[in-house]
Amino acid sequence: MYRGREGQWAFLLHRLSGLAILAYLLLHVFSIGSFIFGERFYMAIHHTYDLWFFRLGLVVITAGVVYHAFNGLRIIVMDFTGAGVAYQRQMWYGVMALSVLSALYAAYRLYPRLIGGY
Amino acid sequence: MTQAQITPSTPATVAAMMTLKVKVLRFDPEKDKKAHWVTYEVEASAADRVLDVINHVKWYMDPSLTFRRSCAHGICGSDAMLINGRNRLACKTLLRDVVKKSGDTITVEPIRGLKVEKDLLVDMEPFFDSYKAIMPYFINESPEPAAERIQSPELAERMAHSSNCILCACCTTSCPIFWVNGSYLGPASIVQAHRFIFDSRDEATQQRLNIMNQNTGVWRCRTAYNCTEACPRDIPITQLIEEVKRAVMYQQA
Ligand code: SF4
Ligand code: SF4
Ligand code: FES
């Protein structure tokens, strides 16, 4: 593993969160669309979302969306201003803080569901 | 007036000797299928450089160890290596900056993304091909003035950073994009292009911006900053790349 600093991890997380969002979106479209095969099929799919993996995934995807959105703004600031490059590290810590906070908030709001399912 | 007291101080350079484990990623194309680690125990002082240590290995322990170096003073750009997980010049890296105490290990690997010829020696041809691609020479077809071509200090300042590059490849071979896409010209070539694009006396700006705008150019850069952290000349590489990106964009507008 190359021992890069903040920028390298910012870049890697941006890619990973992008992929996670894409996967979530495809899953979302597919599971909503599955209704065309009838209610039984639709419900069968939605029951699998009760698995712990999907419950936890809700918190992770929240963090991923917030990270991707705000890091995207960070990249825009870097691309358009010299100061953006100078303060990229501080901005990244800001982005990370926002992502963690939003994940915590999501966990708090979803707590009953995280613990007990539907 | 009180006179400053002269205290016998210990010179800062006095450094204790220590025994280090030097782990080198070795590869001999005639014998090996895969690269493998070999560890050497070397006695060294904290004020020595990594280059001194691997010279010691080559001169006294294993003459077959292969690597490039020339000036040993951080100016020729020959000895870029992946030392303790980061790209650095072996001749510009003090042991005290990479190890803490006797018994510690330092790892030395060839730089990534270029083909390893033997041990720490990589094929630099693709790197220099990318360098040549940006037309790294002064172009000005206007008639020469009687004396020199004048440039104000302010305009000279714009290319002050990029003209410091020694083409060591520390940056390009630290770039995650370059590792997976060897056709990306890479930060070193962009720094070199910047040196001419922002030279007020050069007239091929347009051509170079067009090269930078191709799909092997600046848009491959995803601002991971590894290059900036790695540059032994402290060139703010990512900042320069962003300047070139903006120059390309505003020229298009
Ligand atoms: S920009 Fe810096 S790291 Fe890159 S080749 Fe030039 S001197 Fe080396
Ligand atoms: S800032 Fe750009 S060129 Fe430098 S390491 Fe990152 S992606 Fe590569
Ligand atoms: S040997 Fe010349 S830069 Fe290190």
Side-chain angles (χ1 to χ4, degrees):
Chain A
M1 195 73 223
Y2 191 86
R3 282 164 64 185
R5 297 187 53 181
E6 289 86 345
Q8 173 179 311
W9 305 115
F11 155 76
L12 190 68
L13 270 179
H14 199 74
R15 290 250 152 138
L16 292 179
S17 59
L19 286 175
I21 293 167
L22 180 68
Y24 177 81
L25 198 69
L26 289 176
L27 201 64
H28 180 69
V29 169
F30 170 72
S31 56
I32 298 285
S34 69
F35 203 81
I36 57 176
F37 300 113
E39 188 170 347
R40 271 190 51 215
F41 190 63
Y42 176 88
M43 285 316 289
I45 291 176
H46 279 70
H47 278 307
T48 59
Y49 295 158
D50 207 23
L51 296 174
W52 67 268
F53 175 82
F54 289 99
R55 291 192 233 154
L56 201 68
L58 284 175
V59 176
V60 175
I61 202 69
T62 311
V65 168
V66 172
Y67 178 84
H68 204 81
F70 283 94
N71 195 52
L73 293 178
R74 168 177 166 270
I75 294 173
I76 292 175
V77 175
M78 295 190 311
D79 280 346
F80 283 92
T81 69
V85 172
Y87 291 102
Q88 58 100 359
R89 226 168 258 152
Q90 290 84 337
M91 287 197 292
W92 186 63
Y93 286 118
V95 171
M96 287 305 277
L98 280 173
S99 313
V100 170
L101 283 179
S102 58
L104 288 176
Y105 182 70
Y108 165 72
R109 292 303 302 250
L110 293 168
Y111 189 69
R113 186 159 160 190
L114 283 179
I115 295 302
Y118 290 101
Chain B
M1 217 184 127
T2 52
Q3 206 175 342
Q5 208 175 345
I6 298 160
T7 44
S9 65
T10 36
T13 44
V14 166
M17 293 302 279
M18 45 187 181
T19 313
L20 295 178
K21 295 197 179 64
V22 186
K23 230 176 119 188
V24 185
L25 190 62
R26 300 205 52 182
F27 172 73
D28 181 344
E30 283 169 15
K31 290 203 215 101
D32 306 329
K33 282 213 179 64
K34 264 180 63 200
H36 57 98
W37 292 99
V38 182
T39 306
Y40 304 91
E41 282 212 2
V42 177
E43 185 116 340
S45 126
D48 283 339
R49 302 159 304 168
V50 174
L51 180 62
D52 299 321
V53 172
I54 54 175
N55 270 338
H56 182 92
V57 172
K58 183 172 177 71
W59 294 340
Y60 304 110
M61 302 170 86
D62 187 345
S64 71
L65 180 65
T66 306
F67 55 95
R68 279 195 190 93
R69 84 269 182 265
S70 180
C71 70
H73 288 83
I75 205 63
C76 72
S78 306
D79 59 345
M81 297 170 192
L82 183 47
I83 299 168
N84 277 18
R86 281 194 193 152
N87 280 359
R88 322 174 206 235
L89 294 179
C91 65
K92 233 184 153 176
T93 308
L94 291 180
L95 292 181
R96 70 157 76 95
D97 294 328
V98 283
V99 289
K100 289 199 187 66
K101 54 179 195 323
S102 198
D104 280 356
T105 303
I106 59 172
T107 60
V108 185
E109 298 164 64
I111 45 178
R112 295 195 185 153
L114 295 168
K115 189 176 154 279
V116 176
E117 301 271 20
K118 186 166 188 281
D119 298 336
L120 304 170
L121 188 103
V122 299
D123 177 14
M124 295 288 280
E125 264 337 293
F127 176 78
F128 287 114
D129 287 342
S130 301
Y131 171 56
K132 287 176 203 140
I134 60 102
M135 305 190 294
Y137 35 81
F138 185 70
I139 299 176
N140 188 328
E141 305 295 342
S142 321
E144 276 170 52
E148 76 268 39
R149 297 183 195 271
I150 307 282
Q151 188 178 42
S152 71
E154 292 74 37
L155 289 174
E157 191 57 37
R158 294 205 306 181
M159 46 176 271
H161 283 306
S162 45
S163 53
N164 270 336
C165 173
I166 57 172
L167 286 168
C168 66
C170 275
C171 54
T172 297
T173 58
S174 77
C175 174
I177 307 294
F178 179 76
W179 296 334
V180 293
N181 178 359
S183 69
Y184 171 37
L185 290 175
S189 303
I190 301 175
V191 166
Q192 289 292 333
H194 181 286
R195 183 244 168 274
F196 291 98
I197 291 169
F198 289 89
D199 184 338
S200 53
R201 304 158 299 179
D202 186 276
E203 286 180 346
T205 311
Q206 205 56 44
Q207 272 165 279
R208 291 204 185 82
L209 287 179
N210 288 342
I211 296 168
M212 291 289 108
N213 196 20
Q214 282 166 4
N215 66 359
T216 51
V218 281
W219 306 117
R220 291 290 126 236
C221 169
R222 295 298 197 280
T223 53
Y225 294 92
N226 277 3
C227 54
T228 307
E229 313 278 5
C231 180
R233 304 283 292 164
D234 291 329
I235 300 174
I237 304 178
T238 312
Q239 182 193 316
L240 302 188
I241 296 178
E242 296 291 276
E243 284 174 19
V244 176
K245 283 183 187 170
R246 287 197 285 272
V248 172
M249 192 177 60
Y250 294 135
Q251 149 217 250
Q252 303 274 307

